């Protein structure tokens, strides 16, 4: 688990890919996980790594408050994709495999042929195991608040419009009407989405397109499954 060397282009690319569908390293608010990774990055990522750069600038804005952010700062290797080994800092030099053979490369120009052969064999085994792992489908459970214009809005028709939105990776769940005041009720509806196929921006755009019924849409709850 880790991001690799976050001071290298390869490590920053892993970070950028990891943040493509996430706002933070862990959870949905800035935390000590973000501080740990931020401190391992030597400076702003290049502009072409837009997700990493967006995250970097956002966490930088918490610089004066970073000590008060929630969570407990862990070792850098405890964050990031599970199939990437952390090689930032001293952990890379202290971590050795069996027989002191470095599986991820060596700076020793006089590396023995036997050590080189073993390293290449184990790298091949690692890549083979990684390729055989089934791809995990990331899903989220989202609770939406859909607000009508007034108390005369046909809420049954509003819900019918919302449920008419169909997409690969989207499943609608239970719903209920919740009073908000002055006789007005909002529709609270649950859905499960596949993260890489359906996002809240897409849902908001399609739901608010029913402008005769819908005034606005908010995300009331968002949980990874």
């Amino acid at each position: 688990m880790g991001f690799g060397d976050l001071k290298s282009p390869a490590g920053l690319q892993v970070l950028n890919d990891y943040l493509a569908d996430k706002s933070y390293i862990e959870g949905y608010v800035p935390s000590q996980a973000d501080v740990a990774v931020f401190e391992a990055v030597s400076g702003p990522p290049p502009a072409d790594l837009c997700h990493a750069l967006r995250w970097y600038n956002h966490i930088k804005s918490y610089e004066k408050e970073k000590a008060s952010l929630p969570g407990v700062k862990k070792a850098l290797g405890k964050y990031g994709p599970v199939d990437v080994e952390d090689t930032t800092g001293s952990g890379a030099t202290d971590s050795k495999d069996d027989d002191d053979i470095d599986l991820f490369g060596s700076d020793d120009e006089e590396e023995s042929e036997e050590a080189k052969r073993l390293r290449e064999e184990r790298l091949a085994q690692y890549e083979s195991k990684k390729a055989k792992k089934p791809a995990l489908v990331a899903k989220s459970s989202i609770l939406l608040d859909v607000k009508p214009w007034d108390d005369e809005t046909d809420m049954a028709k509003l819900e019918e419009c919302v449920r008419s939105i169909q997409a690969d990776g989207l499943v609608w769940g239970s719903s209920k009407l919740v009073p908000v005041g002055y006789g007005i009720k909002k529709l609270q509806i649950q859905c499960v989405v596949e993260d890489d196929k359906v996002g809240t921006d897409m849902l908001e755009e399609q739901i608010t397109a029913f402008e005769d019924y819908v005034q606005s849409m908010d995300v009331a709850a968002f949980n990874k499954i």
Side-chain angles (χ1 to χ4, degrees):
M1 191 171 192
F3 293 103
D5 184 356
L6 283 170
K7 291 181 172 56
S8 71
L12 290 175
Q13 183 64 61
V14 174
L15 176 64
N16 186 71
D17 294 343
Y18 181 77
L19 291 168
D21 59 352
K22 299 174 180 65
S23 296
Y24 303 103
I25 300 301
E26 287 185 343
Y28 306 101
V29 295
S31 69
Q32 292 301 319
D34 297 283
V35 174
V37 177
F38 180 87
E39 291 177 347
V41 177
S42 58
D48 59 324
L49 301 180
C50 56
H51 304 299
L53 181 60
R54 175 260 307 160
W55 166 84
Y56 180 92
N57 289 333
H58 182 52
I59 300 306
K60 187 177 181 181
S61 69
Y62 287 90
E63 192 162 4
K64 294 181 180 179
E65 310 153 53
K66 64 181 182 181
S68 63
L69 293 178
V72 177
K73 192 188 298 185
K74 297 180 286 189
L76 194 59
K78 298 295 184 181
Y79 306 113
V82 296
D83 57 351
V84 176
E85 180 170 335
D86 177 64
T87 57
T88 303
S90 60
T93 56
D94 293 338
S95 176
K96 299 289 183 179
D97 206 322
D98 296 341
D99 302 323
D100 290 333
I101 296 173
D102 180 3
L103 299 186
F104 294 91
S106 171
D107 292 331
D108 184 0
E109 295 180 357
E110 298 180 358
E111 179 183 24
S112 70
E113 287 299 318
E114 180 66 12
K116 183 177 180 181
R117 182 184 66 78
L118 285 173
R119 176 167 58 83
E120 291 176 351
E121 281 184 4
R122 293 183 186 183
L123 275 172
Q125 291 172 2
Y126 169 79
E127 292 296 337
S128 176
K129 287 180 182 179
K130 180 179 173 183
K132 290 178 182 178
K133 286 183 179 179
L136 296 176
V137 178
K139 294 184 178 181
S140 298
S141 173
I142 307 175
L143 184 65
L144 302 175
D145 282 346
V146 184
K147 298 176 182 176
W149 288 105
D150 51 41
D151 59 344
E152 296 183 356
T153 300
D154 186 339
M155 296 304 292
K157 184 64 178 178
L158 184 150
E159 180 173 353
E160 180 184 336
C161 291
V162 171
R163 290 185 181 275
S164 72
I165 298 170
Q166 301 293 319
D168 184 24
L170 169 64
V171 177
W172 293 108
S174 60
S175 65
K176 63 181 179 179
L177 296 179
V178 179
V180 295
Y182 303 102
I184 300 174
K185 295 181 179 180
K186 65 183 177 182
L187 172 69
Q188 200 165 73
I189 186 167
Q190 192 91 25
C191 66
V192 174
V193 302
E194 292 184 25
D195 295 346
D196 61 346
K197 295 180 180 178
V198 180
T200 54
D201 289 345
M202 182 272 273
L203 290 173
E204 181 174 16
E205 180 181 350
Q206 295 201 27
I207 289 174
T208 55
F210 296 107
E211 54 188 22
D212 288 343
Y213 302 97
V214 177
Q215 180 191 83
S216 64
M217 186 217 84
D218 296 307
V219 176
F222 189 111
N223 296 292
K224 294 287 186 181
I225 297 177

